[in-house]
C-alpha cells in the first residue's frame, strides 16, 4: 500500500513526463536535418504560420546546407540527357562531351542529409500551385533541370509547355500545377530610349513584376548581367525617376535595383500566400578567356582561400532590411567547386561542325551541363519548400 506522499510523488512524475513530451513535440524545427518539414505549406488563415515562415531563415541554420562536399554517387543522375526539354547549349552529352562523371556527383552537407528529389512528392506538394523561376539564362538552366526532374512521371498527353511574353511554363495537367520561367535578368526594367540607347530604369519594375503576381513560389536570381565587363554591359546609361545617370559603379546600381525589387515584394506580396526564395550567384570559371573549365573532370575538394563575391554581400544587406521573409538559397560556394560541370566547348553539336579544331571554339564556363549541378540546386529547393 502506497502512502499519500508516495502517491503524490508518482502523480508529479507522470505530469512531468507528459509536460516534457509536449515540450519536445512543440520545439521540433521545420528542417530537422533530414530535409522534412512539419508543414507542407503556409495556411493563409492562421497568423501563427506567418511567424513560422519568418523564423525559417534562423532555424535552417541548424543544418547548414552550404557547408559540405561533393560525393560520387552511381545512382545519379536522376534523369538522362534525352529529356526533351533540354536546350542545345546545355545538352553536353548530345553535343559530344566524351565523359559523363560530372552527372554523378551529389551534394552532401556535413551535418545533415538532403532528401533525394521525389518527382511525385514534389508534384503532390505543388498541386494547384505555381512555381516561377525569375532571372537570366542560368535561371533558365535551372528551370530546364527542374522540368526534367519532374516530367518523367507525367504521362505524355498530360503535359505541355506554354509561352506568354517573357514567360514560359511547363504544365502537369493532372496536378493542375505549373513550373514557370520569367526572363528578367536585371529584375528592374531595361528599355530603349532616345537614339535607340539602352536605358536601365533602376526604380521601375512593374513591367516585369506583373508576371509574378498570383504565383505561389517565386525563386529569383540577378547577378551576372550586373557583373559584365565595361565593354559588354547591357545598358548605355541609367535612369532614376527623370534623372539620367551615365556614370555609376555597377555594384551601386545593383544595390539600387535590388532595393526596388525588395520594395515591390514588401508592398505587393503576402507571406501567408507566397513563398519567396532568392538564389545566390552562380559562380563562373571563365578566367583564361573561358578555358579554365575545359577538360576538367572532377570537382575541387576545397578552396585555397575564402570565396566571397561582392554581389552576395550586397544581396544580404538588402534582404536584411526587408519586412517580407525571403529565404536566401546560397549555392555559390558549393557550385564554385564544380569547374567540371560547365559545357565548355560542348555547348553546340560538334558533330555538325565542319571544322572541329577545338582551339577555335569558344568555351562556356558560366552555364551548366544537364544533367548536372543545377539538379543539386533543385534538390535543395525541394528540401526547403
Amino acid at each position: 500500500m502506497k502512502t499519500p506522499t508516495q502517491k503524490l510523488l508518482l502523480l508529479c512524475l507522470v505530469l512531468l513526463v507528459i509536460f516534457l513530451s509536449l515540450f519536445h513535440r512543440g520545439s521540433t524545427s521545420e528542417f530537422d536535418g533530414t530535409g522534412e518539414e512539419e508543414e507542407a505549406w503556409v495556411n493563409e488563415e492562421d497568423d501563427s504560420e506567418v511567424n513560422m515562415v519568418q523564423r525559417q531563415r534562423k532555424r535552417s541554420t541548424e543544418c547548414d546546407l552550404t557547408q559540405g562536399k561533393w560525393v560520387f554517387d552511381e545512382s545519379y543522375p536522376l534523369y538522362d540527357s534525352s529529356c526533351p526539354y533540354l536546350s542545345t547549349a546545355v545538352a553536353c552529352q548530345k553535343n559530344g562531351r566524351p565523359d559523363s562523371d560530372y552527372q554523378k556527383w551529389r551534394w552532401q552537407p556535413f551535418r545533415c542529409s538532403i532528401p533525394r528529389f521525389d518527382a511525385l512528392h514534389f508534384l503532390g506538394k505543388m498541386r494547384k500551385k505555381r512555381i516561377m523561376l525569375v532571372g537570366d539564362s542560368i535561371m533558365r538552366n535551372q528551370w530546364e533541370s527542374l522540368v526534367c526532374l519532374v516530367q518523367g512521371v507525367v504521362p505524355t498527353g498530360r503535359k505541355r509547355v506554354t509561352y506568354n511574353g517573357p514567360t514560359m511554363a511547363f504544365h502537369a495537367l493532372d496536378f493542375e500545377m505549373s513550373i514557370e520561367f520569367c526572363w528578367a535578368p536585371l529584375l528592374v526594367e531595361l528599355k530603349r530610349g532616345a537614339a535607340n540607347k539602352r536605358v536601365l530604369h533602376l526604380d521601375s519594375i512593374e513591367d516585369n513584376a506583373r508576371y509574378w503576381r498570383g504565383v505561389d513560389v517565386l525563386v529569383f536570381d540577378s547577378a551576372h548581367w550586373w557583373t559584365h565587363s565595361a565593354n559588354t554591359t547591357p545598358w548605355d546609361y541609367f535612369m532614376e525617376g527623370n534623372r539620367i545617370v551615365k556614370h555609376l559603379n555597377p555594384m551601386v546600381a545593383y544595390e539600387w535595383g535590388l532595393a526596388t525589387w525588395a520594395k515591390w515584394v514588401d508592398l505587393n506580396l503576402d507571406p501567408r500566400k507566397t513563398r519567396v526564395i532568392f538564389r545566390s550567384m552562380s559562380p563562373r570559371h571563365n578566367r583564361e578567356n573561358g578555358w579554365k573549365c575545359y577538360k576538367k573532370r572532377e570537382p575541387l575538394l576545397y578552396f585555397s582561400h575564402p570565396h566571397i563575391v561582392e554581389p552576395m554581400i550586397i544581396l544580404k544587406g538588402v534582404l536584411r532590411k526587408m519586412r517580407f521573409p525571403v529565404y536566401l538559397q546560397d549555392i555559390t560556394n558549393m557550385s564554385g567547386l564544380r569547374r567540371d560541370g560547365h559545357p565548355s566547348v560542348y555547348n553546340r553539336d560538334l558533330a555538325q561542325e565542319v571544322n572541329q579544331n577545338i582551339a577555335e571554339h569558344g568555351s562556356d564556363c558560366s552555364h551548366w551541363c544537364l544533367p548536372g549541378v543545377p539538379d543539386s540546386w533543385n534538390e535543395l529547393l525541394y528540401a526547403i519548400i
Side-chain angles (χ1 to χ4, degrees):
M1 176 78 66
K2 291 185 174 63
T3 66
T5 301
Q6 290 174 321
K7 290 181 179 179
L8 180 60
L9 287 173
L10 181 61
L11 177 61
C12 290
L13 181 60
V14 170
L15 291 173
L16 179 61
V17 170
I18 293 173
F19 172 79
L20 289 175
S21 174
L22 291 172
F23 176 80
H24 174 74
R25 187 185 309 176
S27 63
T28 303
S29 64
E30 289 87 10
F31 191 84
D32 62 5
T34 63
E36 297 295 332
E37 294 183 62
E38 288 182 355
E39 297 293 336
W41 208 255
V42 179
N43 180 355
E44 62 182 276
E45 296 179 356
D46 186 353
D47 287 338
S48 67
E49 294 295 336
V50 179
N51 295 328
M52 179 272 288
V53 178
Q54 290 169 336
R55 292 197 306 265
Q56 183 177 0
R57 282 176 290 185
K58 295 181 180 178
R59 290 190 173 185
S60 64
T61 59
E62 295 173 8
C63 170
D64 189 347
L65 300 178
T66 68
Q67 299 299 313
K69 62 182 179 180
W70 289 97
V71 177
F72 193 79
D73 190 332
E74 286 285 2
S75 69
Y76 280 66
L78 300 176
Y79 59 91
D80 60 46
S81 56
S82 65
C83 174
Y85 301 97
L86 293 183
S87 57
T88 299
V90 299
C92 300
Q93 289 292 295
K94 288 184 178 180
N95 293 337
R97 180 165 175 167
D99 62 306
S100 60
D101 282 357
Y102 66 89
Q103 302 178 348
K104 296 181 178 295
W105 294 95
R106 172 176 56 81
W107 179 248
Q108 176 61 60
F110 289 133
R111 299 183 60 187
C112 57
S113 294
I114 300 170
R116 187 182 179 91
F117 192 93
D118 184 325
L120 282 175
H121 185 241
F122 175 81
L123 287 168
K125 290 183 75 171
M126 293 300 300
R127 185 184 294 275
K128 295 187 177 181
K129 292 183 172 67
R130 300 167 60 196
I131 178 170
M132 178 180 283
L133 282 60
V134 181
D136 55 21
S137 57
I138 297 177
M139 187 61 94
R140 162 74 183 265
N141 211 175
Q142 184 176 353
W143 177 83
E144 291 183 18
S145 163
L146 186 56
V147 170
C148 287
L149 284 166
V150 165
Q151 68 89 26
V153 300
V154 182
T156 301
R158 306 302 299 160
K159 55 190 172 186
R160 60 189 174 92
V161 174
T162 59
Y163 302 87
N164 176 29
T167 71
M168 54 196 305
F170 169 86
H171 301 267
L173 301 180
D174 292 330
F175 290 87
E176 301 178 64
M177 65 83 65
S178 60
I179 303 170
E180 305 176 33
F181 168 71
C182 179
W183 174 258
L186 297 160
L187 299 181
V188 291
E189 296 168 16
L190 181 64
K191 296 181 177 181
R192 289 286 177 179
N196 208 32
K197 295 291 186 179
R198 300 164 301 169
V199 184
L200 185 57
H201 296 260
L202 295 174
D203 58 353
S204 298
I205 199 170
E206 189 58 43
D207 278 0
N208 295 329
R210 59 196 167 115
Y211 294 100
W212 312 338
R213 296 180 183 274
V215 177
D216 301 282
V217 181
L218 283 163
V219 184
F220 293 93
D221 97 303
S222 184
H224 277 276
W225 279 41
W226 299 91
T227 58
H228 285 190
S229 66
N231 295 327
T232 59
T233 54
W235 57 78
D236 293 305
Y237 58 85
F238 305 99
M239 285 198 72
E240 188 182 32
N242 295 320
R243 183 167 65 103
I244 294 175
V245 183
K246 291 189 175 181
H247 303 289
L248 184 65
N249 183 303
M251 288 297 95
V252 174
Y254 179 58
E255 185 171 11
W256 291 6
L258 282 183
T260 297
W261 166 85
K263 181 179 179 181
W264 184 90
V265 170
D266 277 343
L267 292 176
N268 292 278
L269 298 183
D270 183 345
R272 294 169 295 184
K273 298 179 181 180
T274 305
R275 184 165 294 186
V276 177
I277 298 161
F278 206 111
R279 198 208 69 210
S280 69
M281 183 177 183
S282 171
R284 292 177 286 201
H285 298 92
N286 60 353
R287 293 198 298 274
E288 302 168 15
N289 294 321
W291 290 95
K292 191 173 178 62
C293 68
Y294 178 54
K295 284 191 173 180
K296 301 303 181 186
R297 298 291 182 262
E298 293 184 348
L300 295 168
L301 295 178
Y302 56 87
F303 293 115
S304 59
H305 57 278
H307 192 70
I308 301 173
V309 293
E310 188 175 1
M312 177 68 109
I313 298 172
I314 293 170
L315 172 60
K316 286 182 176 179
V318 170
L319 295 183
R320 287 191 195 101
K321 297 175 183 178
M322 293 182 66
R323 174 187 58 80
F324 193 101
V326 177
Y327 185 97
L328 174 59
Q329 184 186 7
D330 184 356
I331 55 86
T332 304
N333 284 326
M334 63 179 281
S335 306
L337 297 169
R338 293 299 309 276
R339 60 182 182 174
D340 61 308
H342 299 288
S344 185
V345 298
Y346 303 105
N347 60 352
R348 63 180 69 82
D349 186 357
L350 292 180
Q352 303 300 317
E353 299 278 354
V354 176
N355 181 0
Q356 294 198 27
N357 183 357
I358 296 297
E360 295 182 1
H361 292 289
S363 178
D364 181 356
C365 294
S366 295
H367 299 90
W368 302 92
C369 292
L370 292 178
V373 172
D375 302 331
S376 293
W377 303 348
N378 283 324
E379 286 200 292
L380 293 177
L381 182 62
Y382 171 65
I384 62 180
I385 65 173

